[in-house]
């Protein structure tokens, strides 16, 4: 009982000790953002940068709040989030099982490596003509296709590396105890690959959002990207930048959520313990 109390007190003291450090980091980051915005405001107000092409940050923020007061902005955001979620989900369904297979088989890894290395650098935007051919008027599915194609690769590579990173001594020890292959996969391979998988999901999430927005802008497939394009075509520069800021906020929120989930799920991993120390 005393040991439990001592451990709890120790964890509490560590949290209290790290709280000022976190506060300082937050203040430093926020201060940097505020400084950049103030400088940008002054530069634009003094017409060093033309305000007709780049509205002041205060105008953009006010416009963003105005747009968020309408249903149109929320429907556009939901449409973008829908495309992001479907794209990321399909990419995970394709990449994780395939990565586990290729990472656990040396022959499969060697046989498919040239194909993966050939397709991985292909930019998804280069497939936009193919989107028009495959999906025709159904451009909503087209932007999901672009997101899936782009998000598969970082998740696939991370999964392969995670499986191949398992120490041979761990596998040899499991075989020496005649542990079933399924249990080896669940209790040896998966825990070792999990940090790589978590990083792959976080990267794929960002890539999926970028390609959904790109598809919306280029092929007018709804969502925030289409609102950016419509505002640009209509000469509503402040509205255009307001939706650009909205897309940036969305990306920041998603990345923060996945980073926090990663830290919580992998708090047992040495890399997370070092990051928190």
């Amino acid at each position: 009982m005393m040991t439990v109390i001592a451990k709890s007190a120790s964890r509490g003291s560590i949290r209290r000790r790290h709280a000022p450090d976190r506060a300082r980091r937050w203040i430093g980051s926020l201060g940097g953002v505020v400084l950049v915005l103030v400088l940008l405001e002054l530069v634009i107000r003094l017409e060093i940068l033309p305000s007709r092409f780049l509205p002041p940050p205060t105008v953009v923020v006010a416009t963003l709040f105005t747009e968020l007061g309408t249903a149109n902005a929320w429907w556009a955001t939901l449409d973008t989030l829908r495309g992001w979620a479907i794209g990321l989900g399909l990419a995970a369904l394709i990449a994780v099982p395939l990565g586990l297979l290729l990472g656990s088989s040396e022959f499969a890894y060697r046989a498919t490596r040239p194909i993966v290395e050939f397709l991985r650098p292909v930019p998804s935007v280069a497939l936009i003509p193919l989107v028009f051919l495959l999906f025709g008027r159904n451009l909503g599915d087209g932007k999901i296709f672009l997101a899936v194609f782009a998000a598969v690769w970082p998740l696939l590579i991370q999964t392969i590396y995670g499986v191949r990173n398992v120490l041979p001594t761990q596998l040899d020890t499991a075989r020496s105890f005649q542990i079933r292959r399924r249990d080896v996969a669940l209790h040896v391979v998966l825990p070792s690959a999990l940090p790589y998988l978590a990083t792959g999901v976080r990267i794929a999430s960002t890539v999926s959002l970028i390609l959904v927005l790109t598809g919306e802008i280029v092929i007018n497939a709804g969502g925030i990207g289409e609102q950016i394009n419509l505002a640009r075509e209509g000469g509503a520069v402040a509205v255009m930048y307001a939706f650009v800021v909205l897309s940036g906020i969305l990306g920041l929120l998603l990345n923060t959520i996945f980073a926090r989930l990663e830290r919580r799920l992998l708090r047992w991993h040495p890399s997370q313990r070092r990051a928190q120390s």
Side-chain angles (χ1 to χ4, degrees):
M1 181 66 178
M2 294 298 296
T3 304
V4 173
I5 294 173
K7 287 182 178 179
S8 177
S10 176
R11 284 196 294 267
S13 64
I14 291 172
R15 291 194 192 98
R16 287 193 297 272
R17 192 164 61 245
H18 290 312
D21 295 334
R22 294 196 195 99
R24 279 194 293 269
R25 285 198 296 267
W26 273 101
I27 292 170
S29 300
L30 186 61
V33 172
V34 170
L35 178 62
V36 170
L37 290 176
V38 169
L39 289 175
L40 188 59
E41 182 83 19
L42 289 173
V43 166
I44 296 172
R45 293 290 182 182
L46 294 173
E47 290 295 330
I48 298 173
L49 291 175
S51 58
R52 59 175 179 164
F53 298 128
L54 187 63
T58 51
V59 174
V60 173
V61 171
T63 305
L64 175 60
F65 277 104
T66 301
E67 291 296 323
L68 289 176
T70 66
N72 184 52
W74 291 103
W75 282 116
T77 303
L78 289 174
D79 194 8
T80 297
L81 283 174
R82 172 183 168 276
W84 162 81
I86 295 174
L88 180 61
L90 290 176
L93 288 175
I94 295 168
V96 174
L98 187 59
L100 292 173
L101 175 63
L102 299 183
S104 59
S105 170
E106 185 66 25
F107 174 77
Y109 172 72
R110 296 293 177 186
T112 57
R113 186 176 179 181
I115 300 172
V116 172
E117 293 300 326
F118 173 76
L119 291 175
R120 186 163 63 98
V122 175
S124 296
V125 290
L127 302 178
I128 287 176
L130 181 62
V131 168
F132 284 107
L133 291 174
L134 290 177
F135 300 99
R137 295 179 179 275
N138 195 5
L139 297 178
D141 292 339
K143 70 179 180 183
I144 293 172
F145 170 78
L146 295 175
V148 171
F149 181 85
V152 157
W153 304 113
L155 192 48
L156 177 65
I157 297 300
Q158 286 293 115
T159 306
I160 291 173
Y161 286 167
V163 174
R164 292 177 64 82
N165 192 55
V166 180
L167 295 175
T169 52
Q170 293 176 304
L171 297 175
D172 292 339
T173 302
R175 292 192 191 99
S176 67
F177 282 100
Q178 297 182 344
I179 299 175
R180 291 180 299 178
R181 182 172 296 182
R182 184 186 66 182
D183 292 332
V184 171
L186 288 175
H187 301 294
V188 178
V189 176
L190 189 58
S192 297
L194 201 55
Y196 292 84
L197 280 170
T199 302
V201 169
R202 182 158 49 85
I203 296 171
S205 168
T206 301
V207 171
S208 177
L209 181 62
I210 291 171
L211 264 298
V212 165
L213 289 166
T214 302
E216 290 172 348
I217 292 172
V218 175
I219 61 179
N220 284 329
I224 294 174
E226 187 177 53
Q227 296 303 314
I228 293 172
N229 207 25
L230 290 174
R232 179 188 62 82
E233 292 174 350
V237 181
V239 175
M240 181 188 74
Y241 281 109
F243 278 105
V244 170
V245 171
L246 179 59
S247 65
I249 293 172
L250 196 60
L252 180 62
L253 287 175
L254 291 174
N255 187 69
T256 302
I257 290 169
F258 276 101
R260 287 183 178 275
L261 285 174
E262 184 178 344
R263 286 197 297 269
R264 183 175 292 274
L265 292 173
L266 299 176
R267 58 183 179 272
W268 52 270
H269 196 263
S271 63
Q272 296 300 324
R273 289 201 296 269
R274 284 195 299 268
Q276 294 171 8
S277 62

